[in-house]
Amino acid sequence: MSELKVGLAGLGTVGAAVFRMLERRKAELEARTGRTLRVTAVAARDRSRDRGLDLGGVIWFEDPVALARDGDIDVFVELMGGDGDPAKAAVAAALDRGIPVVTANKALLAKCGVELAQRAEASRAGLHFEAAVAGGIPIVKTLRESLAGNTIERVSGILNGTCNYILTRMAEEKLSFHVCLGEAQRLGYAEADPTFDIDGFDTAHKLAILTSLAFGTQVDADSIYVEGIRQLTLADLEAADDLGYRVKLLGVAVRTETGIEQRVHPTMVPKHWPIAQVSGVTNAVAVDGDAVALTLVGPGAGGAATASAVVGDLFDVARGARGYTFGLPVAELTKAERAAMQRHEGGYYIRLAVVNKPGTAATIARRMADEQISLESIMQRRPDGAETARVILITYATTEEAVRRAIAAIEADGVISALPQVIRIEKD
Amino acid sequence: MSELKVGLAGLGTVGAAVFRMLERRKAELEARTGRTLRVTAVAARDRSRDRGLDLGGVIWFEDPVALARDGDIDVFVELMGGDGDPAKAAVAAALDRGIPVVTANKALLAKCGVELAQRAEASRAGLHFEAAVAGGIPIVKTLRESLAGNTIERVSGILNGTCNYILTRMAEEKLSFHVCLGEAQRLGYAEADPTFDIDGFDTAHKLAILTSLAFGTQVDADSIYVEGIRQLTLADLEAADDLGYRVKLLGVAVRTETGIEQRVHPTMVPKHWPIAQVSGVTNAVAVDGDAVALTLVGPGAGGAATASAVVGDLFDVARGARGYTFGLPVAELTKAERAAMQRHEGGYYIRLAVVNKPGTAATIARRMADEQISLESIMQRRPDGAETARVILITYATTEEAVRRAIAAIEADGVISALPQVIRIEKD
């Protein structure tokens, strides 16, 4: 039986899980592909560390680029992470010599996806990255292959398990953001420096890749509007609940009249939507095509789930499956027209802390009317004895620009006493 | 650009949708595959019918077998349906001459899957059938390719939109089974003779295929335990709701100690499960692997959704993707050990109409105890003035055999006045 020699760069949680999965499923994968998938070379920093893996007979490289460039391998698996070298140099080196690459590196693809796809195309080596978006959920294959007959209108998802864990616990247990962040850190769901997750950048990287696959555009992470979940309060989540919504950090890419709108921000979604019911660290992706609307739910991170996606890609390499990195030849990927966030249209939730004096509600309502914003509801509540009252506005569909102007005017009127909270609403 | 000549047998709703989708997505599919996908020959009964398709230049066959055997085609698409000839003969004829086949025919695969897979293997032609299970949901590709690294423990799903539509309307609008069936027929979701859908046979066909893909076994529809939804009453659905469950017609295949258990029956699932929240004609499939648990939700039927799956398969044919029909060579598909339904273990909902005399509850409780069945709850209610009372029992995990014996004993005791209702419960 012919062998598929796997070179594995990165032996952390995911790398070790891939190694073990290939051993555990050896006979099955042989039967399914007609080839023996075997790790023949690895690159990792610390050779002395005990990873519980039998690395006898496996060639050890200190330098992942050397493994990619010189290793006796049929496929290079990049599990180091990072959007620069050595990950980039190693992936480029493998592709340039015609060796297919499997990677879980979303940051690298979001930043250098087009360049790497070009290298892959030039040498006819595949660049596979199912593990880079939504972990164990096969959304890359679904967009690139299964939905080839569809024109995609919208792709959106819960793409960061850390944020969804925090939002779920806040809502279900009436806890503050900071308490839930601490819990996430204690459980290993969030890093010591959680910025990358909770400020939306991780979601944005994944969304940039999905956008390219869904719309046939060049990956363009820079044009994504990004807001994280740091500023959300329990009061907002409770108000959303009262109104029939849940708050999720969504990545959304949608075809509009002015171009592709890409945005990451907390979003109020109707409770009955499948995506609203996704709780904890679980991820979900919804795709709206002209023929089919799908929702895929599953684990977005973790060693086993990520390894499952990596091994699925190795299965494709072993059976000789071919395809363009982002579905289309690089020359056919269009430079996406960016739809400006200013022109985003939708409903809005606006929470204002207002000073307690007569006429405040009238002032707010007038500023909204000035911008042609219709209100679905306006609720005012002043806790007993408090100096400020809380006003929550729900608007009908309007534009981001109008909302920002109205809020600026209200601020200038001097009737609000703290930063306003704005959450976009998605609904049927 | 090289052409992929498509022969299309069957020009009903799905066939026409495939024809149109290939025209609409022509440029896109060319860019993605490097080939022009064009319908060059069709077979259908009534040539005079106006289908709104431009069939100029397309060769017309009266006989689908002749098209499969003699047509100048590169791929044969079978959309006629039926588990015998001409569908079977046509598929066999195409495979035997090495022409890949794309089919949406679940009945044919459930009955003749192994034989057809053998023919495909012998001539190295692919047999593709994404559209045969759960319509637009890419569950076949997910099981066969994406989850290749997983050992699958369980696959289950809402695989029949007609039943799910009826159960959803009953529960949400407090309507009887017969009223909802009538509505489903009026809307075209159910046939004039609805037996095939509502008695669970359609679900069983799809489950048989999923079981083979998930567990590497020979398709064996005959070993599936099948119960439909005809006997469900609104009272059962309301009781389930009170207890925190929804009732769904599920197909379930699960690896047990005694073999693969395959069953189709109404099932109470916890409301918070993603599958519980799938409403209307929508389908859903949940897969539990050792590395990944996924739930896929989408349209299970309809022209556009089915065409999407067919075109996804044609995309794979065009790019030369190869794979075994059921994931493994036929010689490696095991003959599944059937787990007897008698040995099924789980919780049960049992509703009894009991005669109104002292000691009835005690009799029932004793019969349960005789079979070592522990009760989670027992509720008795007698509507004012009624001759019979309703007793609802919820059991802890027990066996099908014990439940059946206990009920037989209670019937022999003469304390119940109508057929008992039994619904199996699935929970965490």
Side-chain angles (χ1 to χ4, degrees), chain A residues 27-38:
Chain A
E28 272 283 337
L29 289 166
E30 282 175 352
R32 287 171 185 270
T33 66
R35 303 184 73 174
T36 302
L37 281 70
R38 193 164 72 81

Side-chain angles (χ1 to χ4, degrees), chain A residues 58-344:
Chain A
V58 176
I59 299 165
W60 189 281
F61 284 78
E62 300 293 331
D63 175 12
V65 184
L67 166 57
R69 196 184 49 222
D70 304 321
D72 175 23
I73 55 176
D74 301 310
V75 56
F76 179 70
V77 179
E78 187 274 303
L79 300 172
M80 296 175 287
D83 66 3
D85 295 333
K88 188 188 170 192
V91 168
L95 293 175
D96 288 349
R97 68 190 268 233
I99 301 269
V101 170
V102 175
T103 179
N105 192 334
K106 54 206 163 268
L108 177 61
L109 287 163
K111 190 175 171 196
C112 315
V114 175
E115 181 200 327
L116 294 173
Q118 252 156 355
R119 289 177 187 268
E121 224 168 292
S123 70
R124 295 174 160 271
L127 173 53
H128 306 259
F129 54 92
E130 186 64 80
V133 183
I137 301 176
I139 184 62
V140 173
K141 187 178 273 277
T142 295
L143 284 170
R144 198 162 51 178
E145 302 172 16
S146 301
L147 298 181
N150 284 251
T151 301
I152 308 294
E153 299 302 331
R154 187 174 186 281
V155 57
S156 63
I158 295 171
L159 302 172
N160 183 278
T162 310
C163 289
N164 206 51
Y165 173 83
I166 292 171
L167 293 176
T168 305
R169 287 213 57 180
M170 284 176 73
E172 288 182 357
E173 298 170 44
K174 314 276 183 213
L175 298 172
S176 75
F177 171 77
H178 286 285
V179 167
C180 296
L181 172 59
E183 273 292 275
Q185 287 170 320
R186 197 178 60 77
L187 292 165
Y189 296 152
E191 310 279 336
D193 176 1
T195 304
F196 195 67
D197 287 320
I198 67 173
D199 289 340
F201 302 118
D202 175 74
T203 300
H205 283 161
K206 294 164 181 168
L207 181 67
I209 297 168
L210 290 182
T211 303
S212 177
L213 289 166
F215 301 105
T217 52
Q218 294 169 16
V219 178
D220 179 16
D222 293 339
S223 74
I224 301 179
Y225 173 83
V226 183
E227 247 177 55
I229 64 168
R230 209 185 273 270
Q231 77 291 0
L232 290 175
T233 67
L234 180 55
D236 297 316
L237 271 55
E238 288 178 332
D241 187 61
D242 288 344
L243 293 159
Y245 295 92
R246 297 229 168 95
V247 180
K248 298 292 182 188
L249 183 72
L250 290 194
V252 180
V254 60
R255 195 190 296 278
T256 74
E257 281 176 17
T258 55
I260 306 292
E261 185 177 283
Q262 291 187 80
R263 49 196 165 83
V264 173
H265 52 70
T267 311
M268 283 169 49
V269 289
K271 282 181 192 173
H272 68 273
W273 281 18
I275 219 163
Q277 292 149 356
V278 173
S279 61
V281 294
T282 302
N283 282 21
V285 187
V287 187
D288 291 347
D290 57 346
V292 164
L294 291 177
T295 302
L296 281 59
V297 182
T306 311
S308 169
V310 168
V311 172
D313 278 347
L314 286 171
F315 170 83
D316 275 355
V317 171
R319 70 195 181 99
R322 303 195 146 275
Y324 295 108
T325 304
F326 294 103
L328 287 165
V330 171
E332 305 238 3
L333 294 173
T334 55
K335 186 119 189 73
E337 285 293 320
R338 301 179 183 189
M341 193 62 196
Q342 249 63 358
R343 301 176 73 165
H344 168 70

